[in-house]
Amino acid sequence: MDAKAPLLVFDSGIGGLSVLAEIRAALPQAPVIYAADNGGLPYGPKSEAEVAARVCGLLGRMSERYKPRLICIACNTASTIALGMVRDVLNVPVVGTVPAIKPAAGLTRSGTIGLLGTAATIRQGYVDRLEAEFAADKRLLRFAAGELVSAAEAKLRGALVDPAVYARAAGGLREQPGGEAIDTVVLACTHFPLLRDELQQAFGPQVQFVDGAKGIARRIVHLTAGQDFVRAAPDLALFTRAEDGLAKLVPALAHYGLARVEVLK
Ligand code: DGL
């Protein structure tokens, strides 16, 4: 194993930075390429076939070019749709992001859990299976909160976001039958932990949020145990499309230790 081989952390946009933060905390010495498919963002409204084709195609190209030691799909939408396919076609360990229903089921006291994800994520059989396996004795209410994805993208570009967006996400769960009993909310999209403070205000202090980032970091530590890491160059943020907004992201990327920005050729 080349000690300079990076971890490749992939998302449709900047959401995966919430996962990268936990990976950094666990493996500060690991070289990282953070790849954002901003050319395909958002994935939430896309069909399963479109998401699967993009994710498999891009990760194939990036693997050939950057020879990562491990790929982390830091995106619930991409993982719940395409994790199996990516593992079938790539000869690299792949860690996915799946909605944290299991820990939420262990934490809820009321027995009612909310789940915020993209439209594509909340309809996946993968989520049905997690619910059946870990939350069969709980009530799980789902809400597609795609507009939180653009809110997180705007926030990290330094733009102001209308707080009505957060109120709509909270209302989308609370106003469902039984929704007033929600005490635990699964943030089943990696963009949403970037809005934790805003969501906490919208839901109120009695609601706790759960996401999968720490578990993913633990899994990566386990899979890379015993490997050497050398960061030979500053870590790279890689985008699939040049856009004016990328310059506005530079401070946020630097905050996550990504000092170089490139567009995939
Ligand atoms: N960050 C992605 C997720 O975890 C989705 C955002 C998008 O709609 O592209 O689901």
Side-chain angles (χ1 to χ4, degrees):
M1 170 66 63
D2 177 358
K4 295 194 289 305
L7 304 174
L8 178 69
V9 180
F10 177 88
D11 182 33
S12 55
I14 48 75
L17 294 174
S18 65
V19 178
L20 177 60
E22 296 296 343
I23 298 173
R24 291 274 194 222
L27 291 171
Q29 71 285 23
V32 168
I33 295 178
Y34 181 82
D37 181 16
N38 61 323
L41 179 84
Y43 282 180
K46 291 187 164 49
S47 70
E48 281 71 3
E50 242 182 309
V51 171
R54 282 200 80 86
V55 173
C56 289
L58 283 169
L59 288 177
R61 273 170 73 192
M62 291 173 182
S63 296
E64 276 187 22
R65 180 141 344 151
Y66 297 101
K67 309 272 185 291
R69 71 179 74 203
L70 178 146
I71 293 173
C72 170
I73 305 182
C75 174
N76 290 260
T77 311
S79 298
T80 54
I81 293 173
L83 183 58
M85 280 177 251
V86 173
R87 283 186 173 144
D88 285 346
V89 296
L90 294 183
N91 198 14
V92 182
V94 184
V95 175
T97 308
V98 297
I101 292 173
K102 183 181 178 187
L107 286 170
T108 180
R109 292 184 176 218
S110 67
T112 303
I113 301 166
L115 184 144
L116 291 176
T118 65
T121 294
I122 69 165
R123 67 169 180 257
Q124 293 312 308
Y126 204 122
V127 179
D128 300 338
R129 289 193 290 279
L130 289 172
E131 179 179 0
E133 190 172 351
F134 301 114
D137 59 340
K138 313 281 187 257
R139 177 184 288 207
L140 181 77
L141 303 175
R142 310 179 192 188
F143 183 67
E147 64 178 346
L148 291 178
V149 174
S150 15
E153 293 280 336
K155 178 182 170 183
L156 266 69
R157 285 170 173 78
L160 283 177
V161 176
D162 179 358
V165 170
Y166 312 116
R168 280 196 288 274
L173 285 175
R174 286 239 186 271
E175 287 156 22
Q176 294 183 38
E180 66 290 340
I182 291 171
D183 65 352
T184 305
V185 172
V186 181
L187 300 179
C189 170
T190 53
H191 281 74
F192 300 171
L194 301 172
L195 305 169
R196 192 178 287 264
D197 293 347
E198 293 85 344
L199 289 169
Q200 191 75 66
Q201 256 199 309
F203 275 92
Q206 70 286 3
V207 166
Q208 58 190 333
F209 297 108
V210 192
D211 66 68
K214 279 200 167 65
I216 294 166
R218 276 197 299 274
R219 182 80 191 132
I220 295 176
V221 168
H222 174 74
L223 290 173
T224 58
Q227 296 180 9
D228 292 327
F229 293 100
V230 170
R231 183 179 287 115
D235 285 343
L236 174 68
L238 184 67
F239 291 85
T240 58
R241 190 183 64 193
E243 49 149 304
D244 294 344
L246 291 188
K248 299 201 180 101
L249 274 177
V250 166
L253 296 170
H255 175 75
Y256 288 91
L258 301 165
R260 287 186 298 146
V261 178
E262 282 178 17
V263 175
L264 182 71
K265 293 195 191 77

